[in-house]
PDB file of all heavy atoms in Angstrom:
ATOM      1  N   ALA A   1      -4.412  41.751 -10.539  1.00  0.00           N
ATOM      2  CA  ALA A   1      -5.495  41.169 -11.424  1.00  0.00           C
ATOM      3  C   ALA A   1      -5.565  39.745 -11.364  1.00  0.00           C
ATOM      4  O   ALA A   1      -6.569  39.042 -11.381  1.00  0.00           O
ATOM      5  CB  ALA A   1      -5.498  41.756 -12.668  1.00  0.00           C
ATOM      6  N   MET A   2      -4.390  39.071 -11.468  1.00  0.00           N
ATOM      7  CA  MET A   2      -4.340  37.624 -11.498  1.00  0.00           C
ATOM      8  C   MET A   2      -4.851  37.040 -10.175  1.00  0.00           C
ATOM      9  O   MET A   2      -5.541  36.133 -10.127  1.00  0.00           O
ATOM     10  CB  MET A   2      -2.912  37.161 -11.739  1.00  0.00           C
ATOM     11  CG  MET A   2      -2.423  37.263 -13.275  1.00  0.00           C
ATOM     12  SD  MET A   2      -3.467  36.308 -14.254  1.00  0.00           S
ATOM     13  CE  MET A   2      -3.395  34.741 -13.695  1.00  0.00           C
ATOM     14  N   ARG A   3      -4.449  37.659  -9.047  1.00  0.00           N
ATOM     15  CA  ARG A   3      -4.862  37.256  -7.702  1.00  0.00           C
ATOM     16  C   ARG A   3      -6.405  37.449  -7.667  1.00  0.00           C
ATOM     17  O   ARG A   3      -7.255  36.579  -7.138  1.00  0.00           O
ATOM     18  CB  ARG A   3      -4.243  38.074  -6.654  1.00  0.00           C
ATOM     19  CG  ARG A   3      -4.562  37.599  -5.199  1.00  0.00           C
ATOM     20  CD  ARG A   3      -4.231  38.627  -4.190  1.00  0.00           C
ATOM     21  NE  ARG A   3      -2.796  38.883  -4.114  1.00  0.00           N
ATOM     22  CZ  ARG A   3      -1.975  38.243  -3.389  1.00  0.00           C
ATOM     23  NH1 ARG A   3      -2.444  37.310  -2.588  1.00  0.00           N
ATOM     24  NH2 ARG A   3      -0.690  38.568  -3.335  1.00  0.00           N
ATOM     25  N   GLY A   4      -6.890  38.589  -8.301  1.00  0.00           N
ATOM     26  CA  GLY A   4      -8.387  38.889  -8.294  1.00  0.00           C
ATOM     27  C   GLY A   4      -9.129  37.793  -9.105  1.00  0.00           C
ATOM     28  O   GLY A   4     -10.259  37.443  -8.661  1.00  0.00           O
ATOM     29  N   LEU A   5      -8.650  37.324 -10.203  1.00  0.00           N
ATOM     30  CA  LEU A   5      -9.255  36.312 -11.051  1.00  0.00           C
ATOM     31  C   LEU A   5      -9.444  34.931 -10.122  1.00  0.00           C
ATOM     32  O   LEU A   5     -10.449  34.362 -10.238  1.00  0.00           O
ATOM     33  CB  LEU A   5      -8.412  35.881 -12.275  1.00  0.00           C
ATOM     34  CG  LEU A   5      -8.485  36.935 -13.394  1.00  0.00           C
ATOM     35  CD1 LEU A   5      -7.577  36.520 -14.423  1.00  0.00           C
ATOM     36  CD2 LEU A   5      -9.891  37.158 -13.897  1.00  0.00           C
ATOM     37  N   ASN A   6      -8.501  34.684  -9.325  1.00  0.00           N
ATOM     38  CA  ASN A   6      -8.535  33.537  -8.444  1.00  0.00           C
ATOM     39  C   ASN A   6      -9.727  33.681  -7.500  1.00  0.00           C
ATOM     40  O   ASN A   6     -10.570  32.725  -7.196  1.00  0.00           O
ATOM     41  CB  ASN A   6      -7.281  33.324  -7.665  1.00  0.00           C
ATOM     42  CG  ASN A   6      -7.245  32.047  -6.813  1.00  0.00           C
ATOM     43  OD1 ASN A   6      -7.114  30.969  -7.269  1.00  0.00           O
ATOM     44  ND2 ASN A   6      -7.314  32.200  -5.510  1.00  0.00           N
ATOM     45  N   ALA A   7      -9.910  34.918  -6.931  1.00  0.00           N
ATOM     46  CA  ALA A   7     -11.031  35.215  -6.041  1.00  0.00           C
ATOM     47  C   ALA A   7     -12.351  35.186  -6.821  1.00  0.00           C
ATOM     48  O   ALA A   7     -13.344  34.634  -6.303  1.00  0.00           O
ATOM     49  CB  ALA A   7     -10.820  36.470  -5.311  1.00  0.00           C
ATOM     50  N   GLU A   8     -12.358  35.622  -8.033  1.00  0.00           N
ATOM     51  CA  GLU A   8     -13.595  35.647  -8.781  1.00  0.00           C
ATOM     52  C   GLU A   8     -14.004  34.186  -9.117  1.00  0.00           C
ATOM     53  O   GLU A   8     -15.211  33.871  -9.133  1.00  0.00           O
ATOM     54  CB  GLU A   8     -13.299  36.420 -10.128  1.00  0.00           C
ATOM     55  CG  GLU A   8     -14.527  36.501 -11.091  1.00  0.00           C
ATOM     56  CD  GLU A   8     -14.197  37.212 -12.351  1.00  0.00           C
ATOM     57  OE1 GLU A   8     -13.230  37.968 -12.380  1.00  0.00           O
ATOM     58  OE2 GLU A   8     -14.910  37.004 -13.444  1.00  0.00           O
ATOM     59  N   LEU A   9     -13.104  33.323  -9.448  1.00  0.00           N
ATOM     60  CA  LEU A   9     -13.305  31.938  -9.730  1.00  0.00           C
ATOM     61  C   LEU A   9     -13.906  31.298  -8.579  1.00  0.00           C
ATOM     62  O   LEU A   9     -14.834  30.457  -8.659  1.00  0.00           O
ATOM     63  CB  LEU A   9     -12.036  31.220 -10.316  1.00  0.00           C
ATOM     64  CG  LEU A   9     -12.238  29.693 -10.493  1.00  0.00           C
ATOM     65  CD1 LEU A   9     -13.308  29.502 -11.552  1.00  0.00           C
ATOM     66  CD2 LEU A   9     -10.948  29.140 -10.920  1.00  0.00           C
ATOM     67  N   LYS A  10     -13.338  31.497  -7.346  1.00  0.00           N
ATOM     68  CA  LYS A  10     -13.867  30.964  -6.179  1.00  0.00           C
ATOM     69  C   LYS A  10     -15.311  31.330  -5.892  1.00  0.00           C
ATOM     70  O   LYS A  10     -16.161  30.437  -5.574  1.00  0.00           O
ATOM     71  CB  LYS A  10     -13.065  31.347  -5.033  1.00  0.00           C
ATOM     72  CG  LYS A  10     -13.461  30.722  -3.647  1.00  0.00           C
ATOM     73  CD  LYS A  10     -12.547  31.182  -2.482  1.00  0.00           C
ATOM     74  CE  LYS A  10     -12.981  30.596  -1.232  1.00  0.00           C
ATOM     75  NZ  LYS A  10     -12.151  30.996   0.020  1.00  0.00           N
ATOM     76  N   GLU A  11     -15.674  32.534  -6.141  1.00  0.00           N
ATOM     77  CA  GLU A  11     -17.143  33.044  -5.999  1.00  0.00           C
ATOM     78  C   GLU A  11     -18.014  32.304  -7.098  1.00  0.00           C
ATOM     79  O   GLU A  11     -19.066  31.914  -6.710  1.00  0.00           O
ATOM     80  CB  GLU A  11     -17.186  34.492  -6.199  1.00  0.00           C
ATOM     81  CG  GLU A  11     -16.498  35.296  -5.046  1.00  0.00           C
ATOM     82  CD  GLU A  11     -16.477  36.845  -5.265  1.00  0.00           C
ATOM     83  OE1 GLU A  11     -17.092  37.253  -6.314  1.00  0.00           O
ATOM     84  OE2 GLU A  11     -15.963  37.493  -4.387  1.00  0.00           O
ATOM     85  N   GLN A  12     -17.478  32.184  -8.340  1.00  0.00           N
ATOM     86  CA  GLN A  12     -18.141  31.471  -9.325  1.00  0.00           C
ATOM     87  C   GLN A  12     -18.440  30.022  -8.933  1.00  0.00           C
ATOM     88  O   GLN A  12     -19.546  29.631  -9.203  1.00  0.00           O
ATOM     89  CB  GLN A  12     -17.384  31.548 -10.633  1.00  0.00           C
ATOM     90  CG  GLN A  12     -17.943  30.842 -11.823  1.00  0.00           C
ATOM     91  CD  GLN A  12     -17.016  30.945 -13.023  1.00  0.00           C
ATOM     92  OE1 GLN A  12     -16.942  32.124 -13.557  1.00  0.00           O
ATOM     93  NE2 GLN A  12     -16.452  29.877 -13.576  1.00  0.00           N
ATOM     94  N   ILE A  13     -17.482  29.311  -8.464  1.00  0.00           N
ATOM     95  CA  ILE A  13     -17.706  27.951  -8.040  1.00  0.00           C
ATOM     96  C   ILE A  13     -18.711  27.796  -6.882  1.00  0.00           C
ATOM     97  O   ILE A  13     -19.625  27.015  -6.884  1.00  0.00           O
ATOM     98  CB  ILE A  13     -16.372  27.298  -7.665  1.00  0.00           C
ATOM     99  CG1 ILE A  13     -15.402  27.189  -8.910  1.00  0.00           C
ATOM    100  CG2 ILE A  13     -16.594  25.901  -7.063  1.00  0.00           C
ATOM    101  CD1 ILE A  13     -14.012  26.764  -8.639  1.00  0.00           C
ATOM    102  N   GLU A  14     -18.589  28.723  -5.886  1.00  0.00           N
ATOM    103  CA  GLU A  14     -19.461  28.704  -4.689  1.00  0.00           C
ATOM    104  C   GLU A  14     -20.870  28.887  -5.139  1.00  0.00           C
ATOM    105  O   GLU A  14     -21.827  28.534  -4.498  1.00  0.00           O
ATOM    106  CB  GLU A  14     -18.953  29.756  -3.738  1.00  0.00           C
ATOM    107  CG  GLU A  14     -17.708  29.361  -2.954  1.00  0.00           C
ATOM    108  CD  GLU A  14     -17.144  30.448  -2.079  1.00  0.00           C
ATOM    109  OE1 GLU A  14     -17.668  31.494  -2.110  1.00  0.00           O
ATOM    110  OE2 GLU A  14     -16.256  30.106  -1.214  1.00  0.00           O
ATOM    111  N   ALA A  15     -21.160  29.687  -6.260  1.00  0.00           N
ATOM    112  CA  ALA A  15     -22.474  29.935  -6.792  1.00  0.00           C
ATOM    113  C   ALA A  15     -22.937  28.901  -7.634  1.00  0.00           C
ATOM    114  O   ALA A  15     -24.037  29.063  -8.300  1.00  0.00           O
ATOM    115  CB  ALA A  15     -22.437  31.350  -7.509  1.00  0.00           C
ATOM    116  N   GLY A  16     -22.174  27.900  -7.780  1.00  0.00           N
ATOM    117  CA  GLY A  16     -22.624  26.680  -8.648  1.00  0.00           C
ATOM    118  C   GLY A  16     -22.170  26.862 -10.066  1.00  0.00           C
ATOM    119  O   GLY A  16     -22.708  26.115 -10.973  1.00  0.00           O
ATOM    120  N   GLY A  17     -21.242  27.690 -10.323  1.00  0.00           N
ATOM    121  CA  GLY A  17     -20.755  27.848 -11.717  1.00  0.00           C
ATOM    122  C   GLY A  17     -19.694  26.941 -12.186  1.00  0.00           C
ATOM    123  O   GLY A  17     -19.269  25.998 -11.381  1.00  0.00           O
ATOM    124  N   ALA A  18     -19.080  27.185 -13.256  1.00  0.00           N
ATOM    125  CA  ALA A  18     -17.960  26.362 -13.848  1.00  0.00           C
ATOM    126  C   ALA A  18     -16.676  26.458 -12.978  1.00  0.00           C
ATOM    127  O   ALA A  18     -16.524  27.500 -12.280  1.00  0.00           O
ATOM    128  CB  ALA A  18     -17.726  26.781 -15.219  1.00  0.00           C
ATOM    129  N   ASP A  19     -15.973  25.328 -13.052  1.00  0.00           N
ATOM    130  CA  ASP A  19     -14.763  25.345 -12.198  1.00  0.00           C
ATOM    131  C   ASP A  19     -13.497  25.859 -12.862  1.00  0.00           C
ATOM    132  O   ASP A  19     -12.331  25.691 -12.431  1.00  0.00           O
ATOM    133  CB  ASP A  19     -14.515  23.947 -11.569  1.00  0.00           C
ATOM    134  CG  ASP A  19     -14.417  22.909 -12.737  1.00  0.00           C
ATOM    135  OD1 ASP A  19     -14.353  23.244 -13.995  1.00  0.00           O
ATOM    136  OD2 ASP A  19     -14.232  21.723 -12.346  1.00  0.00           O
ATOM    137  N   HIS A  20     -13.752  26.388 -14.080  1.00  0.00           N
ATOM    138  CA  HIS A  20     -12.613  27.117 -14.827  1.00  0.00           C
ATOM    139  C   HIS A  20     -13.035  28.471 -15.148  1.00  0.00           C
ATOM    140  O   HIS A  20     -14.252  28.742 -15.297  1.00  0.00           O
ATOM    141  CB  HIS A  20     -12.276  26.388 -16.068  1.00  0.00           C
ATOM    142  CG  HIS A  20     -11.559  25.069 -15.844  1.00  0.00           C
ATOM    143  ND1 HIS A  20     -12.275  23.974 -15.379  1.00  0.00           N
ATOM    144  CD2 HIS A  20     -10.233  24.719 -15.963  1.00  0.00           C
ATOM    145  CE1 HIS A  20     -11.292  22.954 -15.194  1.00  0.00           C
ATOM    146  NE2 HIS A  20     -10.189  23.386 -15.595  1.00  0.00           N
ATOM    147  N   LEU A  21     -12.094  29.422 -15.264  1.00  0.00           N
ATOM    148  CA  LEU A  21     -12.358  30.746 -15.758  1.00  0.00           C
ATOM    149  C   LEU A  21     -11.443  30.920 -17.008  1.00  0.00           C
ATOM    150  O   LEU A  21     -10.264  30.927 -16.926  1.00  0.00           O
ATOM    151  CB  LEU A  21     -12.013  31.749 -14.641  1.00  0.00           C
ATOM    152  CG  LEU A  21     -12.505  33.253 -14.802  1.00  0.00           C
ATOM    153  CD1 LEU A  21     -14.056  33.325 -14.866  1.00  0.00           C
ATOM    154  CD2 LEU A  21     -11.983  34.040 -13.713  1.00  0.00           C
ATOM    155  N   GLN A  22     -12.127  31.294 -18.130  1.00  0.00           N
ATOM    156  CA  GLN A  22     -11.397  31.407 -19.296  1.00  0.00           C
ATOM    157  C   GLN A  22     -10.682  32.805 -19.486  1.00  0.00           C
ATOM    158  O   GLN A  22     -11.367  33.764 -19.264  1.00  0.00           O
ATOM    159  CB  GLN A  22     -12.436  31.233 -20.601  1.00  0.00           C
ATOM    160  CG  GLN A  22     -11.721  30.726 -21.849  1.00  0.00           C
ATOM    161  CD  GLN A  22     -11.157  29.308 -21.837  1.00  0.00           C
ATOM    162  OE1 GLN A  22     -11.761  28.432 -21.149  1.00  0.00           O
ATOM    163  NE2 GLN A  22     -10.120  29.073 -22.531  1.00  0.00           N
ATOM    164  N   ILE A  23      -9.474  32.835 -19.840  1.00  0.00           N
ATOM    165  CA  ILE A  23      -8.741  34.183 -20.047  1.00  0.00           C
ATOM    166  C   ILE A  23      -8.623  34.432 -21.616  1.00  0.00           C
ATOM    167  O   ILE A  23      -8.799  35.644 -21.960  1.00  0.00           O
ATOM    168  CB  ILE A  23      -7.343  33.947 -19.357  1.00  0.00           C
ATOM    169  CG1 ILE A  23      -7.546  33.901 -17.862  1.00  0.00           C
ATOM    170  CG2 ILE A  23      -6.467  35.164 -19.675  1.00  0.00           C
ATOM    171  CD1 ILE A  23      -6.344  33.796 -17.134  1.00  0.00           C
ATOM    172  N   ASP A  24      -8.243  33.443 -22.285  1.00  0.00           N
ATOM    173  CA  ASP A  24      -8.313  33.662 -23.775  1.00  0.00           C
ATOM    174  C   ASP A  24      -8.689  32.217 -24.387  1.00  0.00           C
ATOM    175  O   ASP A  24      -8.908  31.324 -23.585  1.00  0.00           O
ATOM    176  CB  ASP A  24      -6.929  34.145 -24.289  1.00  0.00           C
ATOM    177  CG  ASP A  24      -5.822  33.181 -24.171  1.00  0.00           C
ATOM    178  OD1 ASP A  24      -6.027  31.949 -24.167  1.00  0.00           O
ATOM    179  OD2 ASP A  24      -4.630  33.646 -23.987  1.00  0.00           O
ATOM    180  N   PRO A  25      -8.802  32.188 -25.690  1.00  0.00           N
ATOM    181  CA  PRO A  25      -9.326  30.937 -26.203  1.00  0.00           C
ATOM    182  C   PRO A  25      -8.654  29.619 -25.858  1.00  0.00           C
ATOM    183  O   PRO A  25      -9.231  28.609 -25.781  1.00  0.00           O
ATOM    184  CB  PRO A  25      -9.192  31.165 -27.777  1.00  0.00           C
ATOM    185  CG  PRO A  25      -9.397  32.552 -27.870  1.00  0.00           C
ATOM    186  CD  PRO A  25      -8.665  33.218 -26.699  1.00  0.00           C
ATOM    187  N   ASP A  26      -7.225  29.798 -25.458  1.00  0.00           N
ATOM    188  CA  ASP A  26      -6.529  28.503 -25.152  1.00  0.00           C
ATOM    189  C   ASP A  26      -6.003  28.637 -23.696  1.00  0.00           C
ATOM    190  O   ASP A  26      -5.124  27.714 -23.353  1.00  0.00           O
ATOM    191  CB  ASP A  26      -5.453  28.221 -26.143  1.00  0.00           C
ATOM    192  CG  ASP A  26      -4.529  29.403 -26.292  1.00  0.00           C
ATOM    193  OD1 ASP A  26      -4.450  30.221 -25.499  1.00  0.00           O
ATOM    194  OD2 ASP A  26      -3.786  29.374 -27.403  1.00  0.00           O
ATOM    195  N   THR A  27      -6.344  29.563 -22.910  1.00  0.00           N
ATOM    196  CA  THR A  27      -5.823  29.817 -21.592  1.00  0.00           C
ATOM    197  C   THR A  27      -6.770  29.938 -20.546  1.00  0.00           C
ATOM    198  O   THR A  27      -7.700  30.898 -20.697  1.00  0.00           O
ATOM    199  CB  THR A  27      -4.763  30.902 -21.611  1.00  0.00           C
ATOM    200  OG1 THR A  27      -3.881  30.737 -22.647  1.00  0.00           O
ATOM    201  CG2 THR A  27      -4.057  30.956 -20.192  1.00  0.00           C
ATOM    202  N   SER A  28      -6.871  29.181 -19.421  1.00  0.00           N
ATOM    203  CA  SER A  28      -7.867  29.337 -18.501  1.00  0.00           C
ATOM    204  C   SER A  28      -7.212  29.010 -17.098  1.00  0.00           C
ATOM    205  O   SER A  28      -6.144  28.458 -17.055  1.00  0.00           O
ATOM    206  CB  SER A  28      -9.085  28.530 -18.642  1.00  0.00           C
ATOM    207  OG  SER A  28      -8.810  27.067 -18.658  1.00  0.00           O
ATOM    208  N   ILE A  29      -7.909  29.329 -16.006  1.00  0.00           N
ATOM    209  CA  ILE A  29      -7.412  28.937 -14.799  1.00  0.00           C
ATOM    210  C   ILE A  29      -8.442  28.167 -13.957  1.00  0.00           C
ATOM    211  O   ILE A  29      -9.607  28.089 -14.283  1.00  0.00           O
ATOM    212  CB  ILE A  29      -7.127  30.234 -13.842  1.00  0.00           C
ATOM    213  CG1 ILE A  29      -8.527  31.010 -13.601  1.00  0.00           C
ATOM    214  CG2 ILE A  29      -6.162  31.173 -14.506  1.00  0.00           C
ATOM    215  CD1 ILE A  29      -8.373  32.144 -12.530  1.00  0.00           C
ATOM    216  N   ASN A  30      -7.882  27.376 -13.011  1.00  0.00           N
ATOM    217  CA  ASN A  30      -8.709  26.628 -12.033  1.00  0.00           C
ATOM    218  C   ASN A  30      -8.323  27.116 -10.701  1.00  0.00           C
ATOM    219  O   ASN A  30      -7.550  28.076 -10.521  1.00  0.00           O
ATOM    220  CB  ASN A  30      -8.674  25.055 -12.153  1.00  0.00           C
ATOM    221  CG  ASN A  30      -7.348  24.513 -11.787  1.00  0.00           C
ATOM    222  OD1 ASN A  30      -6.363  25.212 -11.439  1.00  0.00           O
ATOM    223  ND2 ASN A  30      -7.182  23.207 -11.749  1.00  0.00           N
ATOM    224  N   MET A  31      -8.829  26.444  -9.655  1.00  0.00           N
ATOM    225  CA  MET A  31      -8.648  26.975  -8.311  1.00  0.00           C
ATOM    226  C   MET A  31      -7.220  26.802  -7.807  1.00  0.00           C
ATOM    227  O   MET A  31      -6.771  27.408  -6.811  1.00  0.00           O
ATOM    228  CB  MET A  31      -9.575  26.290  -7.279  1.00  0.00           C
ATOM    229  CG  MET A  31     -10.981  26.898  -7.238  1.00  0.00           C
ATOM    230  SD  MET A  31     -10.957  28.696  -6.852  1.00  0.00           S
ATOM    231  CE  MET A  31     -10.155  28.784  -5.424  1.00  0.00           C
ATOM    232  N   HIS A  32      -6.342  26.130  -8.571  1.00  0.00           N
ATOM    233  CA  HIS A  32      -5.061  25.847  -8.184  1.00  0.00           C
ATOM    234  C   HIS A  32      -3.998  26.682  -9.035  1.00  0.00           C
ATOM    235  O   HIS A  32      -2.762  26.567  -8.780  1.00  0.00           O
ATOM    236  CB  HIS A  32      -4.691  24.295  -8.253  1.00  0.00           C
ATOM    237  CG  HIS A  32      -5.588  23.440  -7.498  1.00  0.00           C
ATOM    238  ND1 HIS A  32      -5.553  23.405  -6.172  1.00  0.00           N
ATOM    239  CD2 HIS A  32      -6.667  22.683  -7.851  1.00  0.00           C
ATOM    240  CE1 HIS A  32      -6.497  22.468  -5.700  1.00  0.00           C
ATOM    241  NE2 HIS A  32      -7.078  22.034  -6.742  1.00  0.00           N
ATOM    242  N   THR A  33      -4.549  27.291  -9.903  1.00  0.00           N
ATOM    243  CA  THR A  33      -3.608  28.014 -10.970  1.00  0.00           C
ATOM    244  C   THR A  33      -2.683  29.045 -10.193  1.00  0.00           C
ATOM    245  O   THR A  33      -1.509  29.272 -10.424  1.00  0.00           O
ATOM    246  CB  THR A  33      -4.325  28.677 -12.102  1.00  0.00           C
ATOM    247  OG1 THR A  33      -5.123  27.678 -12.729  1.00  0.00           O
ATOM    248  CG2 THR A  33      -3.472  29.398 -13.041  1.00  0.00           C
ATOM    249  N   TRP A  34      -3.321  29.862  -9.434  1.00  0.00           N
ATOM    250  CA  TRP A  34      -2.582  30.980  -8.748  1.00  0.00           C
ATOM    251  C   TRP A  34      -1.471  30.369  -7.873  1.00  0.00           C
ATOM    252  O   TRP A  34      -0.365  30.854  -7.994  1.00  0.00           O
ATOM    253  CB  TRP A  34      -3.528  31.760  -7.800  1.00  0.00           C
ATOM    254  CG  TRP A  34      -2.908  32.719  -6.899  1.00  0.00           C
ATOM    255  CD1 TRP A  34      -2.692  32.621  -5.561  1.00  0.00           C
ATOM    256  CD2 TRP A  34      -2.233  33.977  -7.250  1.00  0.00           C
ATOM    257  NE1 TRP A  34      -2.082  33.739  -5.026  1.00  0.00           N
ATOM    258  CE2 TRP A  34      -1.707  34.596  -5.978  1.00  0.00           C
ATOM    259  CE3 TRP A  34      -2.137  34.766  -8.377  1.00  0.00           C
ATOM    260  CZ2 TRP A  34      -1.122  35.830  -5.989  1.00  0.00           C
ATOM    261  CZ3 TRP A  34      -1.484  35.964  -8.390  1.00  0.00           C
ATOM    262  CH2 TRP A  34      -0.882  36.452  -7.210  1.00  0.00           C
TER     263      TRP A  34
END
């Protein structure tokens, strides 16, 4: 699932979305997190 979040974020960025994906109120990932 963590690997999948990385792929999901990549698709989000390519679609013009935000460059972070929020996991909980104080934890998020960027394209380098994985």
Side-chain angles (χ1 to χ4, degrees):
M2 285 302 305
R3 187 196 297 269
L5 286 175
N6 186 71
E8 180 182 338
L9 177 58
K10 183 178 180 181
E11 293 177 1
Q12 175 178 294
I13 293 171
E14 289 174 349
D19 58 2
H20 288 76
L21 194 64
Q22 204 72 29
I23 293 177
D24 67 29
D26 56 19
T27 308
S28 64
I29 65 170
N30 71 354
M31 278 306 302
H32 303 285
T33 301
W34 170 255

